[in-house]
Amino acid sequence: MRYSLFNLFRQAFEGHRGWPAAWRDPAPQPAYDVIVIGGGGHGLATAYYLAKVHGITRVAVLEKSYIGSGNAGRNTTIIRSNYLLPGNEPFYEFSMKLWEGLEQDLNYNAMVSQRGVLNLYHSDGQRDAAARRGNAMRMHGVDAELLDVDAVRRMAPFLDFDTARFPIRGGLLQRRGGTARHDAVVWGYARAASDLGVDIIQNCEVTGFVREAGRVIGVETTRGEIRAAKVGMAVAGSTSRIARMAGLRLPIESHVLQAFVTEAIKPLIPGVVTFGAGHFYISQSDKGSLVFGGDLDGYNSYTQRGNLPAVEHVLEEGMALMPVIGRVRMLRSWGGLMDMSMDGSPIIDQSGIPGLYLDAGWCYGGFKATPASGWCFAHLLARDTSHEVARAYRLDRFATGHLIDEKGQGAQPNLH
Ligand SMILES: Cc1cc2nc3c(=O)[nH]c(=O)nc-3n(C[C@H](O)[C@H](O)[C@H](O)COP(=O)(O)OP(=O)(O)OC[C@H]3O[C@@H](n4cnc5c(N)ncnc54)[C@H](O)[C@@H]3O)c2cc1C
C-alpha cells in the first residue's frame, strides 16, 4: 500500500488496523541471482537499485541481527557533498542528488532536511584550505559559500567567537547539506526493495563462503546454505572478519566511533556545525536533542561501544566551541564499528575472487554515501563494470599507489 494522504485518511477511519507490514519476512530460498551480505543502509540500497534499475529481483539481503542494527542506525545522520578530490566529489554529489529525490522515489518520509553544513575555520591557513575546497566544489557544480566571521555570527550566535582558545574566523557553508533520519532511510529502502521482490532475511548470519573451482557460489549461514551467482559484501565494520572467511586480507581496520545525544531543548542550532580546531560536529534533531560526535576511540575493536576517555575528549571539544552546551544534560552515548580504510576513502570493486564483490572502507562518512553506494554497487554487481562516479574506488589502488587521501594525512586515517 502506498503512503498517501488518501490512505492515511482511510486508515484513520478504520482505526489504523489495515496497514500492511512494511516489508515481507520470507524464509530463505535455496538460491538467488545475487546475495547481499549486510542489512544496513548500503546493503538495502544495493538490493533496491538492483531490482529497480537493473531488473534483478531474485536478490536476498542477509542480516545477522535486525536491519539497521549496525552503523546505519547509530550514526549522527549528516549528509553533505563538500569533498575536495576528483575521485570523491562527483560520487558524493551524485549521492546528494539521490538524497534530494529519495523520499518521492521510495514513497517514504526519510526526513531529509537540507538545513546546511557549516565547517568552521580558525586561522588564515584554514581559511585558505576552506577556499580551495569551496572552489573545487564549485568547479564540480556543487554549492559552496565562504563566510566571514560576521556571517557565521549571524547564523550561529551561540558559538564562542572571541574568548575561545581557537577564535572563529569564518566558515565554509554547503546549504544543500544537512541531515536525514537514519532509521527511516533503512526502513524506506527495505520497504521499497521488498515491494520489488527482494527477500530481506533477518537473524541470518553469514558464517562462511561456498566455493567451487575457486569461485564463490554461495554462503553458509545460521539458517543453512544459500547459493547465488554473485555475492556482495556490505558489512561495514565487519568487513575484515567476513573477508577473512574468504581468505582475503584487506587494507581496512575496525575502530569504534561514538555518538552522543542530550535532552531536548528549544531550537538552537539551525544546521550542522563542525569545529575546525578539532574533530567535533553537532546538530539538533527534530525532537530537540543535540546530536554530536568527535574522534574515534583510537584502538581496534569489534564491540559496538566505546570508552570514557573519548567521551571526555568529545565533550571538551564541545565546550571549547560552544560553552553553552555545558548546561545541557547528556542522555545517551553509543558506539558503532567503523571500517577504516588506509586512505580514508571507500572501495566498491570486485574482490579478486570470482563471484565476490566488495563495498567497504566507509570510515565515519558512509551514511551520506548510502544512496550512491547502493546505486554504484548495484551497477557493479549487475554489469561487472564500475559506475563512472565510483571508478576511483578500486581495491588495487593500495598496491598501485593511487590513493584518494581526502584528509591529506597519509596512510593511517585511524591516527589523529
Ligand atoms: C557514531 C557514528 C556516527 C557516524 N556519523 C556519520 C555521519 O554523520 N554521516 C555519515 O555520512 N556517516 C556517519 N557514520 C558512518 C556511517 O554510519 C557508516 O559509514 C555507514 O552506515 C556504513 O554502511 P551501512 O549503513 O551499510 O553499515 P551497517 O549499518 O553497519 O551495516 C552492516 C550490516 O552488516 C551486518 N553484518 C555484519 N556481519 C554480518 C554477517 N556475518 N552476516 C550477516 N550480516 C552481517 C551488520 O549486523 C550490519 O547491520 C557514522 C558512524 C558512527 C558509528
Side-chain angles (χ1 to χ4, degrees):
M1 187 191 294
R2 276 189 70 77
Y3 293 154
S4 65
L5 257 186
F6 173 75
N7 278 329
L8 186 62
F9 284 137
R10 213 180 71 185
Q11 289 302 324
F13 284 114
E14 292 167 8
H16 290 289
R17 280 185 292 271
W19 294 111
W23 54 87
R24 295 171 295 109
D25 184 22
Q29 294 171 31
Y32 292 89
D33 291 335
V34 180
I35 285 175
V36 181
I37 312 173
H42 291 221
L44 290 162
T46 303
Y48 171 65
Y49 293 121
L50 272 171
K52 190 192 160 193
V53 179
H54 303 281
I56 301 174
T57 55
R58 286 187 66 232
V59 176
V61 177
L62 308 182
E63 166 53 48
K64 73 171 175 185
S65 177
Y66 59 92
I67 58 170
S69 56
N71 295 343
R74 291 165 181 267
N75 64 72
T76 41
T77 77
I78 300 167
I79 60 173
R80 57 185 173 86
S81 61
N82 53 359
Y83 279 72
L84 173 72
L85 298 181
N88 280 330
E89 183 55 36
F91 174 84
Y92 285 98
E93 178 56 15
F94 181 58
S95 209
M96 184 56 80
K97 292 214 167 76
L98 289 173
W99 281 115
E100 285 170 336
L102 191 73
E103 293 165 311
Q104 288 72 20
D105 186 27
L106 299 181
N107 178 230
Y108 204 91
N109 180 7
M111 294 168 70
V112 176
S113 167
Q114 293 180 289
R115 54 184 72 181
V117 173
L118 176 64
N119 300 134
L120 299 172
Y121 60 81
H122 307 262
S123 67
D124 290 351
Q126 281 194 331
R127 184 203 52 218
D128 292 351
R132 182 168 172 243
R133 177 176 296 268
N135 286 336
M137 290 164 65
R138 291 173 82 138
M139 282 168 65
H140 280 102
V142 179
D143 66 307
E145 291 166 50
L146 194 67
L147 305 185
D148 63 13
V149 65
D150 292 333
V152 173
R153 205 186 288 271
R154 281 195 294 279
M155 263 184 109
F158 50 86
L159 299 176
D160 191 354
F161 285 85
D162 305 315
T163 58
R165 183 170 162 209
F166 305 104
I168 296 164
R169 302 274 188 239
L172 182 67
L173 174 67
Q174 185 184 21
R175 287 192 195 272
R176 286 166 59 245
T179 56
R181 168 84 197 275
H182 50 10
D183 306 304
V185 173
V186 169
W187 301 330
Y189 271 120
R191 173 171 169 270
S194 176
D195 268 1
L196 294 176
V198 169
D199 283 358
I200 296 166
I201 301 166
Q202 305 184 79
N203 300 311
C204 180
E205 180 170 357
V206 170
T207 52
F209 289 96
V210 185
R211 308 215 10 198
E212 199 174 84
R215 188 180 176 88
V216 166
I217 55 159
V219 291
E220 288 153 12
T221 78
T222 45
R223 296 177 68 175
E225 186 179 299
I226 311 175
R227 299 275 176 124
K230 295 180 178 177
V231 177
M233 279 172 48
V235 289
S238 301
T239 297
S240 45
R241 276 195 291 199
I242 312 274
R244 199 165 49 225
M245 293 175 191
L248 280 176
R249 192 158 174 263
L250 298 173
I252 287 178
E253 289 183 11
S254 290
H255 284 259
V256 180
L257 179 69
Q258 301 190 57
F260 308 85
V261 69
T262 70
E263 62 186 330
I265 58 172
K266 286 183 179 171
L268 173 73
I269 304 183
V272 178
V273 180
T274 75
F275 189 29
H279 198 170
F280 178 83
Y281 41 93
I282 188 162
S283 65
Q284 188 166 14
S285 76
D286 291 353
K287 279 189 294 188
S289 302
L290 305 184
V291 181
F292 54 93
D295 272 334
L296 299 172
D297 270 45
Y299 51 86
N300 295 126
S301 174
Y302 288 117
T303 59
Q304 288 178 313
R305 64 166 187 273
N307 268 312
L308 288 174
V311 177
E312 188 180 7
H313 179 62
V314 171
L315 295 180
E316 277 173 353
E317 290 188 289
M319 287 296 288
L321 179 66
M322 41 185 294
V324 63
I325 203 175
R327 299 291 299 277
V328 186
R329 273 169 295 201
M330 205 173 89
L331 286 187
R332 291 188 302 279
S333 67
W334 60 88
L337 262 184
M338 319 312 311
D339 39 336
M340 300 301 295
S341 70
M342 291 301 108
D343 62 357
S345 295
I347 301 161
I348 304 179
D349 201 359
Q350 312 204 17
S351 69
I353 299 174
L356 182 63
Y357 299 74
L358 302 176
D359 174 292
W362 292 100
C363 302
Y364 28 61
F367 177 64
K368 71 177 91 67
T370 303
S373 165
W375 187 289
C376 295
F377 199 33
H379 183 103
L380 177 71
L381 283 160
R383 301 191 185 176
D384 278 317
T385 57
S386 295
H387 188 277
E388 59 179 322
V389 298
R391 240 174 235 146
Y393 297 153
R394 297 167 62 100
L395 176 58
D396 69 3
R397 72 177 187 270
F398 297 95
T400 62
H402 293 90
L403 300 184
I404 314 168
D405 185 8
E406 180 77 26
K407 277 181 103 182
Q409 62 183 30
Q412 286 196 297
N414 48 319
L415 300 180
H416 297 281

